Structure formats: structure tokens, C-alpha cells
Coordinates of all heavy atoms in Angstrom, one line a residue:
M497 N 31.1 31.7 -34.0 CA 31.8 31.8 -35.3 C 33.2 32.4 -35.1 O 33.4 33.3 -34.3 CB 31.0 32.8 -36.2 CG 29.6 32.3 -36.6 SD 29.7 30.9 -37.8 CE 30.3 31.7 -39.2
A498 N 34.1 31.9 -35.9 CA 35.4 32.4 -35.9 C 35.5 33.8 -36.5 O 34.7 34.1 -37.4 CB 36.3 31.4 -36.7
N499 N 36.4 34.6 -36.0 CA 36.7 35.9 -36.6 C 37.4 35.8 -37.9 O 38.3 34.9 -38.0 CB 37.5 36.7 -35.6 CG 36.9 36.9 -34.3 OD1 35.8 37.5 -34.2 ND2 37.5 36.5 -33.2
Q500 N 37.0 36.6 -38.9 CA 37.8 36.7 -40.1 C 38.9 37.7 -40.0 O 38.6 38.8 -39.6 CB 36.8 37.1 -41.3 CG 35.6 36.1 -41.5 CD 36.0 34.7 -41.9 OE1 37.0 34.6 -42.7 NE2 35.4 33.7 -41.4
V501 N 40.1 37.3 -40.3 CA 41.2 38.2 -40.3 C 41.8 38.4 -41.7 O 41.7 37.5 -42.5 CB 42.3 37.8 -39.3 CG1 41.8 37.9 -37.8 CG2 42.9 36.4 -39.5
T502 N 42.4 39.5 -41.9 CA 43.1 39.9 -43.2 C 44.5 40.3 -42.9 O 44.9 40.5 -41.8 CB 42.3 41.0 -43.8 OG1 42.5 42.2 -43.0 CG2 40.8 40.7 -44.0
D503 N 45.2 40.4 -44.0 CA 46.6 40.9 -43.9 C 46.6 42.3 -43.2 O 47.5 42.6 -42.4 CB 47.3 41.1 -45.3 CG 47.7 39.7 -45.8 OD1 47.9 38.8 -45.1 OD2 47.8 39.7 -47.1
G504 N 45.5 43.1 -43.5 CA 45.4 44.4 -42.9 C 45.3 44.5 -41.4 O 45.7 45.4 -40.8
N505 N 44.6 43.5 -40.9 CA 44.3 43.6 -39.4 C 45.0 42.4 -38.6 O 44.7 42.2 -37.5 CB 42.8 43.6 -39.1 CG 42.1 42.3 -39.5 OD1 42.7 41.3 -39.8 ND2 40.8 42.4 -39.4
F506 N 45.9 41.7 -39.3 CA 46.5 40.5 -38.7 C 47.3 40.9 -37.4 O 47.2 40.2 -36.4 CB 47.4 39.8 -39.7 CG 47.8 38.4 -39.2 CD1 47.0 37.3 -39.4 CD2 49.0 38.2 -38.6 CE1 47.4 36.0 -39.0 CE2 49.5 37.0 -38.2 CZ 48.6 35.9 -38.3
E507 N 48.0 41.9 -37.5 CA 48.9 42.3 -36.4 C 48.0 42.7 -35.2 O 48.2 42.2 -34.1 CB 49.8 43.4 -36.7 CG 50.8 43.7 -35.6 CD 52.0 44.5 -36.1 OE1 52.4 44.4 -37.2 OE2 52.6 45.1 -35.2
S508 N 47.0 43.5 -35.4 CA 46.2 43.9 -34.3 C 45.3 42.8 -33.7 O 45.1 42.7 -32.5 CB 45.3 45.2 -34.6 OG 44.4 44.8 -35.7
E509 N 44.7 42.0 -34.6 CA 43.8 41.0 -34.2 C 44.5 39.7 -33.7 O 43.9 39.0 -32.9 CB 42.9 40.6 -35.4 CG 41.9 41.7 -35.8 CD 40.9 42.0 -34.7 OE1 40.3 41.0 -34.1 OE2 40.5 43.1 -34.5
V510 N 45.7 39.4 -34.2 CA 46.3 38.2 -33.8 C 47.6 38.4 -33.0 O 47.7 38.0 -31.8 CB 46.7 37.3 -35.1 CG1 47.4 36.1 -34.7 CG2 45.4 37.0 -35.8
L511 N 48.5 39.1 -33.5 CA 49.8 39.2 -32.9 C 49.8 40.1 -31.6 O 50.6 39.8 -30.7 CB 50.9 39.8 -33.9 CG 51.1 38.9 -35.2 CD1 52.1 39.6 -36.1 CD2 51.5 37.5 -34.8
K512 N 48.9 41.1 -31.6 CA 48.8 41.9 -30.4 C 47.7 41.6 -29.5 O 47.5 42.3 -28.5 CB 48.8 43.4 -30.8 CG 50.0 43.9 -31.5 CD 50.0 45.4 -31.8 CE 51.3 45.8 -32.3 NZ 51.3 47.2 -32.7
C513 N 47.0 40.5 -29.7 CA 45.9 40.1 -28.9 C 46.4 39.6 -27.5 O 47.4 38.9 -27.4 CB 45.1 39.0 -29.6 SG 43.6 38.5 -28.7
E514 N 45.7 39.9 -26.5 CA 46.1 39.5 -25.1 C 45.8 38.0 -24.9 O 46.5 37.4 -24.1 CB 45.3 40.3 -24.1 CG 45.8 41.8 -24.1 CD 45.1 42.6 -23.0 OE1 44.5 42.0 -22.1 OE2 45.2 43.8 -23.0
L515 N 44.8 37.5 -25.6 CA 44.5 36.1 -25.5 C 45.4 35.3 -26.5 O 45.8 35.8 -27.5 CB 43.0 35.8 -25.9 CG 42.0 36.3 -24.9 CD1 40.6 36.1 -25.6 CD2 42.0 35.6 -23.6
P516 N 45.6 34.0 -26.2 CA 46.1 33.1 -27.3 C 45.2 33.1 -28.5 O 44.0 33.3 -28.3 CB 46.2 31.7 -26.6 CG 46.1 32.0 -25.2 CD 45.3 33.2 -25.0
V517 N 45.7 33.0 -29.7 CA 44.9 33.1 -30.9 C 45.2 31.8 -31.8 O 46.4 31.6 -32.1 CB 45.2 34.3 -31.7 CG1 44.3 34.4 -32.9 CG2 45.0 35.6 -30.8
L518 N 44.2 31.1 -32.2 CA 44.3 30.0 -33.1 C 43.8 30.6 -34.5 O 42.7 31.0 -34.6 CB 43.4 28.9 -32.7 CG 43.4 27.7 -33.6 CD1 44.7 26.9 -33.6 CD2 42.3 26.7 -33.3
V519 N 44.7 30.5 -35.5 CA 44.3 30.9 -36.8 C 44.3 29.8 -37.8 O 45.2 28.9 -37.8 CB 45.4 32.0 -37.3 CG1 45.0 32.4 -38.7 CG2 45.5 33.1 -36.4
D520 N 43.1 29.7 -38.5 CA 42.9 28.7 -39.5 C 43.2 29.3 -40.9 O 42.4 30.2 -41.3 CB 41.5 28.2 -39.4 CG 41.1 27.2 -40.5 OD1 42.0 26.6 -41.2 OD2 39.9 27.0 -40.8
F521 N 44.3 28.9 -41.5 CA 44.6 29.4 -42.8 C 43.9 28.4 -43.8 O 44.2 27.2 -43.8 CB 46.1 29.4 -43.1 CG 46.8 30.4 -42.2 CD1 47.3 30.1 -40.9 CD2 47.0 31.7 -42.7 CE1 48.0 31.0 -40.2 CE2 47.7 32.6 -41.9 CZ 48.2 32.3 -40.6
W522 N 43.0 28.9 -44.7 CA 42.1 28.1 -45.5 C 41.9 28.8 -46.8 O 42.2 29.9 -47.0 CB 40.8 27.9 -44.7 CG 40.0 29.1 -44.7 CD1 40.2 30.2 -44.0 CD2 38.8 29.3 -45.5 NE1 39.2 31.1 -44.2 CE2 38.3 30.6 -45.2 CE3 38.1 28.5 -46.4 CZ2 37.2 31.1 -45.7 CZ3 37.0 29.1 -47.0 CH2 36.5 30.4 -46.6
A523 N 41.2 28.1 -47.7 CA 40.7 28.6 -49.0 C 39.3 27.9 -49.3 O 39.1 26.8 -48.9 CB 41.7 28.4 -50.1
P524 N 38.4 28.6 -50.0 CA 37.1 28.1 -50.3 C 37.1 26.9 -51.2 O 36.2 26.0 -51.1 CB 36.4 29.3 -50.9 CG 37.2 30.4 -50.9 CD 38.6 30.0 -50.4
W525 N 38.1 26.7 -52.0 CA 38.2 25.6 -52.9 C 38.8 24.3 -52.3 O 38.8 23.3 -52.9 CB 39.0 26.0 -54.2 CG 40.4 26.6 -53.8 CD1 40.7 27.9 -53.8 CD2 41.5 25.9 -53.4 NE1 42.0 28.1 -53.4 CE2 42.5 26.8 -53.2 CE3 41.9 24.5 -53.3 CZ2 43.8 26.5 -52.8 CZ3 43.2 24.2 -52.9 CH2 44.1 25.2 -52.6
C526 N 39.2 24.4 -51.1 CA 39.9 23.3 -50.4 C 38.9 22.5 -49.6 O 38.3 22.9 -48.7 CB 41.0 23.9 -49.5 SG 41.7 22.8 -48.3
G527 N 38.7 21.2 -50.1 CA 37.8 20.3 -49.4 C 38.1 20.1 -48.0 O 37.2 20.2 -47.1
P528 N 39.3 19.7 -47.6 CA 39.6 19.6 -46.1 C 39.4 20.8 -45.3 O 38.9 20.8 -44.2 CB 41.1 19.1 -46.1 CG 41.3 18.5 -47.5 CD 40.4 19.3 -48.4
C529 N 39.6 22.0 -46.0 CA 39.4 23.3 -45.3 C 37.9 23.4 -45.0 O 37.5 23.8 -43.9 CB 39.8 24.4 -46.1 SG 41.6 24.5 -46.5
R530 N 37.0 23.1 -46.0 CA 35.6 23.2 -45.8 C 35.1 22.2 -44.7 O 34.2 22.6 -44.0 CB 34.9 23.0 -47.1 CG 35.0 24.2 -48.1 CD 34.0 24.1 -49.2 NE 33.9 22.8 -49.9 CZ 34.6 22.4 -50.9 NH1 35.5 23.1 -51.4 NH2 34.4 21.2 -51.4
A531 N 35.7 21.1 -44.7 CA 35.3 20.1 -43.7 C 35.7 20.6 -42.3 O 35.0 20.3 -41.3 CB 36.0 18.7 -44.0
M532 N 36.8 21.3 -42.2 CA 37.2 21.8 -40.9 C 36.4 23.0 -40.4 O 36.4 23.3 -39.2 CB 38.7 22.3 -41.0 CG 39.7 21.1 -41.2 SD 39.9 20.1 -39.7 CE 40.6 21.3 -38.6
G533 N 35.8 23.7 -41.3 CA 35.1 25.0 -41.0 C 34.1 24.9 -39.8 O 34.2 25.7 -38.9
P534 N 33.2 23.9 -39.8 CA 32.3 23.7 -38.6 C 33.0 23.5 -37.3 O 32.6 24.0 -36.3 CB 31.4 22.6 -39.0 CG 31.5 22.5 -40.5 CD 32.9 22.9 -40.9
I535 N 34.1 22.7 -37.4 CA 34.9 22.4 -36.2 C 35.5 23.7 -35.6 O 35.5 24.0 -34.4 CB 36.0 21.4 -36.5 CG1 35.3 20.0 -36.8 CG2 37.0 21.2 -35.3 CD1 36.3 19.0 -37.4
I536 N 36.1 24.5 -36.5 CA 36.7 25.8 -36.1 C 35.6 26.7 -35.5 O 35.9 27.3 -34.5 CB 37.4 26.5 -37.3 CG1 38.5 25.6 -37.9 CG2 37.9 27.9 -37.0 CD1 39.6 25.2 -36.9
D537 N 34.4 26.8 -36.1 CA 33.4 27.6 -35.5 C 32.9 27.1 -34.1 O 32.7 27.8 -33.2 CB 32.2 27.7 -36.5 CG 32.5 28.5 -37.7 OD1 33.4 29.4 -37.6 OD2 31.8 28.3 -38.7
E538 N 32.9 25.7 -34.0 CA 32.5 25.2 -32.7 C 33.6 25.5 -31.6 O 33.2 25.9 -30.5 CB 32.4 23.6 -32.8 CG 31.2 23.1 -33.5 CD 31.2 21.6 -33.7 OE1 32.0 20.9 -32.9 OE2 30.5 21.1 -34.6
L539 N 34.8 25.4 -32.0 CA 35.9 25.8 -31.1 C 35.8 27.3 -30.7 O 36.0 27.6 -29.5 CB 37.3 25.5 -31.6 CG 37.6 24.0 -31.7 CD1 38.8 23.7 -32.6 CD2 37.8 23.4 -30.3
A540 N 35.5 28.1 -31.7 CA 35.4 29.6 -31.4 C 34.3 29.8 -30.3 O 34.5 30.6 -29.4 CB 35.0 30.3 -32.7
N541 N 33.2 29.1 -30.4 CA 32.1 29.2 -29.4 C 32.5 28.6 -28.1 O 32.3 29.2 -27.0 CB 30.8 28.6 -29.9 CG 30.2 29.3 -31.1 OD1 30.4 30.5 -31.2 ND2 29.5 28.6 -31.9
E542 N 33.1 27.5 -28.1 CA 33.5 26.8 -26.8 C 34.6 27.5 -26.1 O 34.7 27.4 -24.8 CB 33.9 25.3 -27.1 CG 32.8 24.4 -27.6 CD 33.3 23.0 -28.0 OE1 34.4 22.6 -27.6 OE2 32.5 22.4 -28.7
L543 N 35.5 28.1 -26.8 CA 36.7 28.7 -26.1 C 36.6 30.2 -25.9 O 37.6 30.8 -25.6 CB 38.0 28.3 -27.0 CG 38.2 26.8 -27.1 CD1 39.4 26.6 -28.1 CD2 38.5 26.2 -25.8
T544 N 35.4 30.7 -26.1 CA 35.2 32.2 -25.9 C 35.8 32.6 -24.6 O 35.5 32.0 -23.5 CB 33.7 32.5 -26.0 OG1 33.2 32.2 -27.3 CG2 33.5 34.0 -25.7
G545 N 36.6 33.7 -24.6 CA 37.2 34.2 -23.4 C 38.5 33.5 -23.0 O 39.3 34.0 -22.2
Q546 N 38.8 32.4 -23.6 CA 40.1 31.6 -23.3 C 41.1 31.7 -24.5 O 42.3 31.9 -24.3 CB 39.8 30.2 -23.1 CG 38.8 29.9 -21.9 CD 38.4 28.5 -21.9 OE1 39.0 27.6 -22.5 NE2 37.3 28.2 -21.3
V547 N 40.5 31.5 -25.7 CA 41.3 31.5 -26.9 C 40.5 32.2 -28.0 O 39.3 31.9 -28.2 CB 41.7 30.1 -27.4 CG1 42.4 30.1 -28.7 CG2 42.5 29.4 -26.3
K548 N 41.1 33.1 -28.7 CA 40.5 33.8 -29.8 C 40.7 32.9 -31.1 O 41.8 32.4 -31.3 CB 41.1 35.1 -30.1 CG 40.4 35.9 -31.2 CD 41.0 37.3 -31.2 CE 40.4 38.2 -32.2 NZ 41.0 39.6 -32.2
V549 N 39.6 32.6 -31.8 CA 39.7 31.7 -33.0 C 39.4 32.5 -34.2 O 38.4 33.2 -34.3 CB 38.8 30.5 -32.8 CG1 38.8 29.6 -34.1 CG2 39.1 29.7 -31.6
C550 N 40.4 32.5 -35.2 CA 40.2 33.3 -36.4 C 40.5 32.4 -37.6 O 41.1 31.3 -37.6 CB 41.3 34.3 -36.4 SG 41.2 35.5 -35.0
K551 N 40.0 32.9 -38.7 CA 40.1 32.2 -40.0 C 40.7 33.3 -41.0 O 40.3 34.4 -41.0 CB 38.8 31.8 -40.6 CG 38.2 30.7 -39.8 CD 36.8 30.3 -40.3 CE 36.9 29.7 -41.7 NZ 36.6 28.2 -41.7
M552 N 41.7 32.8 -41.8 CA 42.2 33.7 -42.9 C 42.2 33.0 -44.2 O 42.7 31.9 -44.4 CB 43.7 34.1 -42.6 CG 44.3 34.9 -43.7 SD 45.9 35.5 -43.3 CE 45.5 37.1 -42.6
N553 N 41.5 33.6 -45.2 CA 41.4 33.1 -46.5 C 42.7 33.4 -47.2 O 43.1 34.6 -47.5 CB 40.2 33.8 -47.2 CG 40.0 33.2 -48.6 OD1 40.9 32.8 -49.3 ND2 38.8 33.3 -49.1
V554 N 43.5 32.4 -47.6 CA 44.8 32.6 -48.2 C 44.7 33.0 -49.6 O 45.7 33.6 -50.1 CB 45.7 31.3 -48.1 CG1 45.9 30.9 -46.6 CG2 45.1 30.1 -48.9
D555 N 43.6 32.9 -50.3 CA 43.4 33.4 -51.6 C 43.3 34.9 -51.6 O 43.7 35.6 -52.6 CB 42.2 32.8 -52.3 CG 42.4 31.4 -52.7 OD1 43.6 30.9 -52.8 OD2 41.4 30.7 -53.1
E556 N 42.7 35.5 -50.6 CA 42.5 36.9 -50.5 C 43.6 37.6 -49.7 O 43.7 38.9 -49.7 CB 41.2 37.2 -49.8 CG 40.0 36.6 -50.6 CD 38.7 36.8 -49.8 OE1 38.6 37.2 -48.7 OE2 37.6 36.4 -50.5
N557 N 44.4 36.9 -49.0 CA 45.5 37.4 -48.2 C 46.8 36.6 -48.4 O 46.8 35.4 -48.0 CB 45.1 37.4 -46.7 CG 43.8 38.1 -46.5 OD1 43.8 39.4 -46.3 ND2 42.7 37.4 -46.4
S558 N 47.8 37.2 -48.9 CA 49.0 36.4 -49.2 C 50.2 36.8 -48.3 O 51.1 36.0 -48.0 CB 49.4 36.6 -50.6 OG 49.7 37.9 -50.9
A559 N 50.2 38.0 -47.7 CA 51.4 38.4 -46.9 C 51.5 37.6 -45.6 O 52.6 37.1 -45.3 CB 51.2 39.9 -46.6
S560 N 50.4 37.5 -44.9 CA 50.6 36.7 -43.6 C 50.9 35.2 -43.8 O 51.8 34.7 -43.1 CB 49.3 36.9 -42.8 OG 49.1 38.3 -42.5
P561 N 50.2 34.5 -44.7 CA 50.5 33.1 -44.9 C 52.0 33.0 -45.4 O 52.7 32.1 -44.9 CB 49.6 32.7 -46.0 CG 48.4 33.6 -45.9 CD 49.0 34.9 -45.4
S562 N 52.5 33.9 -46.2 CA 53.9 33.9 -46.7 C 54.8 34.1 -45.5 O 55.8 33.4 -45.4 CB 54.1 34.9 -47.7 OG 55.4 34.9 -48.2
R563 N 54.5 35.1 -44.7 CA 55.3 35.4 -43.5 C 55.5 34.2 -42.6 O 56.6 34.0 -42.0 CB 54.7 36.5 -42.7 CG 55.4 37.0 -41.5 CD 54.6 38.1 -40.8 NE 55.2 38.5 -39.6 CZ 54.8 39.4 -38.8 NH1 53.6 40.1 -39.1 NH2 55.4 39.7 -37.7
F564 N 54.5 33.4 -42.4 CA 54.5 32.2 -41.5 C 54.8 30.9 -42.3 O 54.6 29.8 -41.7 CB 53.3 32.2 -40.6 CG 53.2 33.4 -39.7 CD1 52.4 34.4 -40.0 CD2 54.0 33.4 -38.6 CE1 52.4 35.5 -39.2 CE2 54.0 34.5 -37.8 CZ 53.2 35.6 -38.0
G565 N 55.2 31.0 -43.5 CA 55.6 29.8 -44.2 C 54.5 28.8 -44.5 O 54.8 27.6 -44.6
I566 N 53.3 29.3 -44.8 CA 52.2 28.4 -45.1 C 52.4 27.8 -46.5 O 52.4 28.5 -47.4 CB 50.8 29.1 -45.0 CG1 50.6 29.8 -43.6 CG2 49.7 28.2 -45.3 CD1 50.6 28.9 -42.5
R567 N 52.6 26.5 -46.6 CA 52.8 25.8 -47.8 C 51.6 24.9 -48.2 O 51.5 24.5 -49.4 CB 54.1 25.0 -47.8 CG 55.3 25.7 -47.4 CD 55.9 26.4 -48.7 NE 57.1 27.1 -48.4 CZ 57.2 28.4 -48.2 NH1 56.1 29.1 -48.3 NH2 58.3 29.0 -48.0
A568 N 50.8 24.6 -47.3 CA 49.6 23.7 -47.5 C 48.5 24.1 -46.6 O 48.7 24.7 -45.5 CB 50.0 22.2 -47.2
I569 N 47.3 23.9 -47.0 CA 46.1 24.2 -46.2 C 45.2 23.0 -46.1 O 45.3 22.1 -46.9 CB 45.4 25.4 -46.8 CG1 45.0 25.1 -48.3 CG2 46.1 26.7 -46.7 CD1 44.1 26.2 -48.9
P570 N 44.4 22.9 -45.1 CA 44.4 23.9 -43.9 C 45.6 23.8 -43.0 O 46.1 22.7 -42.8 CB 43.1 23.4 -43.2 CG 43.0 22.0 -43.5 CD 43.5 21.8 -44.9
T571 N 46.1 24.9 -42.6 CA 47.1 25.0 -41.5 C 46.5 25.8 -40.4 O 46.0 26.8 -40.6 CB 48.4 25.6 -42.1 OG1 49.0 24.8 -43.1 CG2 49.4 25.9 -41.0
L572 N 46.7 25.2 -39.2 CA 46.3 25.9 -38.0 C 47.5 26.3 -37.2 O 48.4 25.5 -37.0 CB 45.5 25.0 -37.1 CG 44.2 24.4 -37.7 CD1 43.6 23.4 -36.7 CD2 43.2 25.5 -38.0
I573 N 47.6 27.6 -36.8 CA 48.7 28.1 -36.0 C 48.2 28.7 -34.8 O 47.3 29.5 -34.8 CB 49.6 29.1 -36.8 CG1 50.2 28.5 -38.1 CG2 50.7 29.6 -35.9 CD1 51.1 29.4 -38.9
L574 N 48.8 28.3 -33.6 CA 48.4 28.8 -32.3 C 49.5 29.9 -32.0 O 50.7 29.6 -31.9 CB 48.4 27.7 -31.3 CG 48.0 28.1 -29.9 CD1 46.6 28.7 -29.8 CD2 48.2 26.9 -29.0
F575 N 49.0 31.1 -31.8 CA 49.9 32.3 -31.4 C 49.6 32.7 -30.0 O 48.5 32.6 -29.5 CB 49.6 33.5 -32.3 CG 49.9 33.3 -33.7 CD1 48.9 32.8 -34.6 CD2 51.1 33.7 -34.2 CE1 49.2 32.7 -36.0 CE2 51.4 33.6 -35.6 CZ 50.5 33.1 -36.4
K576 N 50.6 33.2 -29.3 CA 50.5 33.8 -28.0 C 51.6 34.9 -27.9 O 52.7 34.6 -28.1 CB 50.6 32.8 -26.8 CG 50.3 33.4 -25.5 CD 50.3 32.4 -24.4 CE 49.9 33.0 -23.1 NZ 49.9 32.1 -22.0
N577 N 51.1 36.1 -27.5 CA 52.0 37.2 -27.4 C 52.9 37.4 -28.7 O 54.0 37.7 -28.7 CB 53.0 37.1 -26.2 CG 52.2 37.0 -24.9 OD1 51.2 37.7 -24.8 ND2 52.7 36.2 -24.0
G578 N 52.2 37.2 -29.9 CA 52.9 37.4 -31.1 C 53.8 36.3 -31.6 O 54.4 36.4 -32.7
E579 N 53.9 35.3 -30.8 CA 54.8 34.2 -31.1 C 54.1 32.9 -31.5 O 53.0 32.7 -31.0 CB 55.7 33.8 -29.9 CG 56.6 35.0 -29.4 CD 57.7 35.3 -30.4 OE1 58.2 34.4 -31.1 OE2 57.9 36.5 -30.6
V580 N 54.6 32.1 -32.4 CA 54.0 30.8 -32.8 C 54.3 29.8 -31.7 O 55.5 29.6 -31.4 CB 54.6 30.3 -34.1 CG1 54.0 28.9 -34.4 CG2 54.2 31.3 -35.2
L581 N 53.2 29.3 -31.1 CA 53.4 28.2 -30.1 C 53.4 26.8 -30.7 O 54.1 26.0 -30.2 CB 52.3 28.3 -29.0 CG 52.2 29.6 -28.1 CD1 51.1 29.4 -27.1 CD2 53.5 29.8 -27.4
D582 N 52.5 26.6 -31.7 CA 52.4 25.3 -32.3 C 51.6 25.5 -33.6 O 51.0 26.5 -33.8 CB 51.6 24.4 -31.3 CG 51.9 22.9 -31.6 OD1 52.6 22.6 -32.6 OD2 51.4 22.1 -30.8
Q583 N 51.7 24.5 -34.4 CA 51.0 24.5 -35.7 C 50.8 23.1 -36.2 O 51.5 22.1 -35.8 CB 51.6 25.4 -36.7 CG 52.8 24.8 -37.4 CD 53.3 25.8 -38.5 OE1 53.7 26.9 -38.1 NE2 53.3 25.4 -39.7
T584 N 49.7 22.9 -37.0 CA 49.4 21.6 -37.6 C 48.9 21.9 -39.0 O 48.2 22.9 -39.2 CB 48.4 20.8 -36.7 OG1 48.3 19.5 -37.3 CG2 47.1 21.5 -36.6
T585 N 49.1 20.9 -39.9 CA 48.7 21.1 -41.2 C 47.8 19.8 -41.6 O 48.1 18.7 -41.2 CB 49.9 21.1 -42.2 OG1 50.6 22.3 -41.9 CG2 49.4 21.3 -43.6
G586 N 46.8 20.1 -42.4 CA 45.9 19.0 -42.8 C 44.6 19.0 -41.9 O 44.6 19.7 -40.9
A587 N 43.7 18.2 -42.3 CA 42.4 18.1 -41.6 C 42.7 17.2 -40.3 O 43.3 16.2 -40.4 CB 41.4 17.4 -42.4
V588 N 42.4 17.8 -39.2 CA 42.6 17.1 -37.9 C 41.3 17.1 -37.1 O 40.4 18.0 -37.3 CB 43.8 17.8 -37.1 CG1 45.1 17.6 -37.8 CG2 43.5 19.3 -36.8
S589 N 41.2 16.3 -36.1 CA 40.0 16.2 -35.3 C 39.9 17.4 -34.3 O 40.9 18.0 -33.9 CB 40.0 14.9 -34.5 OG 41.0 14.9 -33.5
K590 N 38.7 17.6 -33.9 CA 38.5 18.6 -32.9 C 39.2 18.3 -31.6 O 39.9 19.2 -31.0 CB 37.0 18.7 -32.6 CG 36.6 19.8 -31.6 CD 35.0 19.8 -31.5 CE 34.6 20.8 -30.5 NZ 33.1 20.7 -30.3
S591 N 39.3 17.1 -31.2 CA 40.0 16.7 -30.0 C 41.5 17.0 -30.1 O 42.2 17.4 -29.2 CB 39.7 15.3 -29.6 OG 40.2 14.4 -30.6
S592 N 42.0 16.7 -31.3 CA 43.5 17.0 -31.6 C 43.8 18.5 -31.4 O 44.8 18.9 -30.8 CB 43.9 16.6 -33.0 OG 43.8 15.2 -33.1
I593 N 42.9 19.3 -31.9 CA 43.1 20.8 -31.8 C 43.0 21.2 -30.4 O 43.8 22.0 -29.9 CB 42.0 21.5 -32.7 CG1 42.2 21.2 -34.1 CG2 42.2 23.1 -32.5 CD1 41.0 21.6 -35.0
K594 N 42.0 20.7 -29.6 CA 41.9 21.0 -28.2 C 43.1 20.6 -27.4 O 43.5 21.3 -26.5 CB 40.6 20.4 -27.7 CG 39.3 21.1 -28.2 CD 38.1 20.5 -27.7 CE 37.6 21.3 -26.4 NZ 36.2 20.9 -26.0
D595 N 43.6 19.4 -27.7 CA 44.8 18.9 -27.1 C 46.0 19.8 -27.3 O 46.8 20.1 -26.4 CB 45.2 17.5 -27.5 CG 44.2 16.4 -27.0 OD1 43.5 16.8 -26.0 OD2 44.3 15.3 -27.5
M596 N 46.2 20.3 -28.6 CA 47.2 21.2 -29.0 C 47.2 22.5 -28.1 O 48.2 22.9 -27.6 CB 47.2 21.5 -30.5 CG 48.2 22.5 -30.9 SD 48.2 22.9 -32.7 CE 46.9 24.1 -32.8
I597 N 46.0 23.0 -28.0 CA 45.8 24.2 -27.3 C 46.1 24.0 -25.8 O 46.8 24.8 -25.1 CB 44.3 24.8 -27.5 CG1 44.2 25.2 -28.9 CG2 44.0 25.9 -26.5 CD1 42.7 25.5 -29.3
A598 N 45.5 22.9 -25.2 CA 45.7 22.6 -23.8 C 47.2 22.5 -23.4 O 47.6 22.9 -22.3 CB 44.9 21.4 -23.4
K599 N 48.0 21.9 -24.3 CA 49.4 21.7 -24.0 C 50.2 22.9 -24.0 O 51.2 23.0 -23.4 CB 50.0 20.7 -25.1 CG 49.5 19.3 -24.9 CD 50.1 18.4 -26.0 CE 49.5 17.0 -25.9 NZ 49.9 16.2 -27.0
K600 N 49.7 23.9 -24.8 CA 50.5 25.2 -25.0 C 50.0 26.4 -24.2 O 50.8 27.3 -24.1 CB 50.6 25.5 -26.5 CG 51.2 24.4 -27.3 CD 52.7 24.3 -27.1 CE 53.3 23.2 -27.9 NZ 54.7 23.1 -27.8
V601 N 48.8 26.4 -23.8 CA 48.2 27.6 -23.2 C 48.0 27.4 -21.7 O 47.7 26.4 -21.2 CB 46.8 27.9 -23.9 CG1 46.2 29.1 -23.2 CG2 47.0 28.2 -25.4

């Protein structure tokens, strides 16, 4: 399962994490977000120890999505050492996400 992050712990859980971190910015009312949920959880299990996978509910947390210019959901952002390495918006395939990670990490 993906870790749930909030505005309160975003810096410690994502920006200061030693591993690369993939964050799924989502909302419960978003159909494509719900469709991506199982894929994000599968990636969290498959990439354990290589990449930390997190989810952030944009309805409950507004500061972090605003800080990173999230205008549409789902948006996936790959962070490493506090920096944005890559991002994608919209429902994408599991293989596309894995390719994005493989190219940057």
C-alpha cells in the first residue's frame, strides 16, 4: 500500500527521504484517480526499498499541491533529494509509470 502523506509531513516523508519518492496527487471524487489507486498500490509493493510511493488527497491538503503547481488530477510527481525529477498528469499505465521511474532513478 502507498503511504498517505499530508501537508504536515510532506517535507519529512517526501522532500527529505533518502529514496526517490513517487507522489500521487488525487481526490476521492476523481474517477481517473480511483482507477489509478490499485496501480499505485501495486507499485508501492513492487518497488519497496527502491522507491517510496505516496498518495496525497488534494481535498484535504492544499499547500503542497499548490506549491508544486498541481492544476489537474491525478498528477504523479517523482522526487529525489527534494527536487522534482519528472511528472505526469492524467490516468497512465503502470508500465508508463515504471518507465518514468527507470529513466530518472
Side-chain angles (χ1 to χ4, degrees):
M497 293 289 290
N499 298 301
Q500 300 296 321
V501 292
T502 65
D503 285 336
N505 67 8
F506 192 84
E507 186 160 337
S508 63
E509 292 292 319
V510 176
L511 301 180
K512 292 186 176 178
C513 184
E514 292 182 13
L515 291 173
V517 183
L518 179 70
V519 181
D520 174 19
F521 293 89
W522 73 289
W525 50 262
C526 167
C529 298
R530 288 195 315 271
M532 294 287 298
I535 294 169
I536 298 303
D537 287 337
E538 286 174 20
L539 288 168
N541 292 332
E542 290 176 19
L543 300 173
T544 299
Q546 301 168 20
V547 176
K548 184 175 183 177
V549 179
C550 300
K551 294 176 67 107
M552 175 174 270
N553 183 329
V554 299
D555 285 346
E556 296 174 355
N557 303 279
S558 61
S560 299
S562 177
R563 177 178 177 185
F564 294 100
I566 304 301
R567 301 276 182 259
I569 54 173
T571 292
L572 302 174
I573 300 183
L574 181 63
F575 294 89
K576 186 172 184 182
N577 299 323
E579 300 293 322
V580 174
L581 294 182
D582 204 351
Q583 75 180 63
T584 186
T585 301
V588 294
S589 68
K590 183 177 175 181
S591 62
S592 295
I593 300 168
K594 288 178 96 169
D595 288 346
M596 177 179 82
I597 294 168
K599 289 177 186 171
K600 300 291 181 175
V601 176

